[in-house]
Amino acid sequence: MKVALYPGTFDPITNGHLDIVERALKMFDRVIITVARNTSKAPLFTADERLSLIRDALNHNDRVEVEFFDGLLVDFARKRNVSAIVRGLRAVSDFEYEFQMALMNRKLDEAVETVFLMPNEKYTYLNSSIIREIARFGGDVSDFVPPAVQEALTRKSNKG
Ligand code: COA
């Protein structure tokens, strides 16, 4: 059984992330989406909120698991015996950071492979920060995120 681990902050999940999950499901039997900690980010949504938005967006697909993990990604990958870590590459600007992470993960655990997938080009300019910013100022993000994420962003913006 081939299992992929798709890690990220997912603050919040976007259609671009979902595009990567769909592509990964064509190559792997199962995908574990891991909400992990990027120590340089202070997320808008709590871990529980992010997990529930992801589960909702995937319509509780039984080939996808969604979990929070606070630790080194390679430890989680080893524990769950995954075949590969999946990351999306949207543009050349992603490359340096992704290359560094992939090589560092490999240094930490020789057995961990990273596979890069390219999302549909209509998502190449998307990231979660830009979505949060547009939503915060009342802009329309419906083309970029699932409906439940849009509602959650509106609720957060109304809270101040
Ligand atoms: N579509 C749309 N946006 C995408 C995307 C896609 N396909 N792929 C990435 N992005 C965006 C994300 O929304 C995010 O946007 P933001 O910076 O505005 O929030 C950005 O691109 C990249 O973030 P993301 O994919 O969420 O990853 P990350 O860089 O925050 O996550 C971790 C990095 C969590 C995987 C990494 O820090 C980690 O592994 N942490 C665990 C600790 C560890 O092992 N550290 C050592 C790593 S070598």
Side-chain angles (χ1 to χ4, degrees), residues 17-64:
H17 293 123
L18 293 170
D19 179 282
I20 297 291
V21 176
E22 271 174 39
R23 286 171 204 279
L25 283 171
K26 290 185 195 149
M27 301 168 61
F28 296 90
D29 301 305
R30 299 184 69 78
V31 174
I32 307 174
I33 302 182
T34 318
V35 173
R37 191 194 294 268
N38 179 336
T39 48
S40 59
K41 290 182 178 173
L44 172 69
F45 291 100
T46 64
D48 281 346
E49 287 171 329
R50 283 176 279 151
L51 290 171
S52 116
L53 288 172
I54 297 169
R55 289 194 182 110
D56 192 87
L58 283 151
N59 218 355
H60 303 266
N61 182 326
D62 60 9
R63 288 174 58 210
V64 182

Side-chain angles (χ1 to χ4, degrees), residues 6-12 14-17 20 36-39 41 71-74 87-88 90 94 97-98 100-101 104-105 108 119 123 126-130 132:
Y6 182 32
T9 307
F10 302 112
D11 185 39
T14 68
N15 292 342
H17 293 123
I20 297 291
R37 191 194 294 268
N38 179 336
T39 48
K41 290 182 178 173
L72 272 185
L73 201 60
V74 288
R87 294 284 291 171
R90 288 158 299 164
D94 282 344
Y97 172 63
E98 294 297 338
Q100 182 186 24
M101 270 209 303
M104 184 51 86
N105 281 330
L108 292 169
Y123 301 128
L126 259 192
N127 66 27
S128 301
S129 319
I130 208 162
R132 290 195 303 272

